[in-house]
Amino acid sequence: MAWPGFQAAWDAALDQGYARIEALLIAGACEALSGAGPGIDAAPAVAGGDGPPLAAAVTVDQAMNLLRLHRASAWGGAPQRYDAKAKPADLGAVRASILRKVAAIERADARAASSGHQG
């Protein structure tokens, strides 16, 4: 609020950054599909770009997630967890969850049987 125009400049910088991420991903995908280069995981920069290359520590999945979250917030929606399905399931946790549910079903069946009702 102290600096008029800051919000507009900030928004423009963010838009430029997200456009740059999209361009890097597209350039890498085109290289991968054409066989002309190392592909999407190694796209260093956009030709003619005036900024530094995308940091090597940012993976393609992270860049895609940034774009998805940005689009959700820019379009007025709440940010979503797009990585929820990507996380591998912990087999022990899945087993424990199933056993708890089976036990709950068995308790409900036992209560229904003791009260004379079938469920």
Side-chain angles (χ1 to χ4, degrees):
M1 292 179 69
W3 299 312
F6 177 80
Q7 185 67 47
W10 181 260
D11 290 342
L14 286 176
D15 288 342
Q16 187 177 44
Y18 288 114
R20 183 168 167 73
I21 291 171
E22 286 178 338
L24 287 168
L25 289 169
I26 291 168
C30 288
E31 285 181 7
L33 291 172
S34 70
I40 195 165
D41 288 323
V46 177
D50 58 357
L54 189 63
V58 176
T59 67
V60 171
D61 287 341
Q62 290 168 335
M64 292 297 296
N65 198 40
L66 275 172
L67 290 176
R68 288 182 192 117
L69 291 171
H70 170 66
R71 287 181 181 149
S73 65
W75 292 342
Q80 300 177 22
R81 287 194 51 192
Y82 292 96
D83 64 340
K85 292 181 183 177
K87 294 180 182 174
D90 175 19
L91 204 50
V94 171
R95 181 184 309 267
S97 173
I98 291 170
L99 292 175
R100 281 192 307 272
K101 291 172 185 175
V102 168
I105 291 169
E106 289 173 346
R107 286 191 306 272
D109 288 348
R111 281 193 303 269
S114 69
S115 66
H117 296 94
Q118 291 287 328

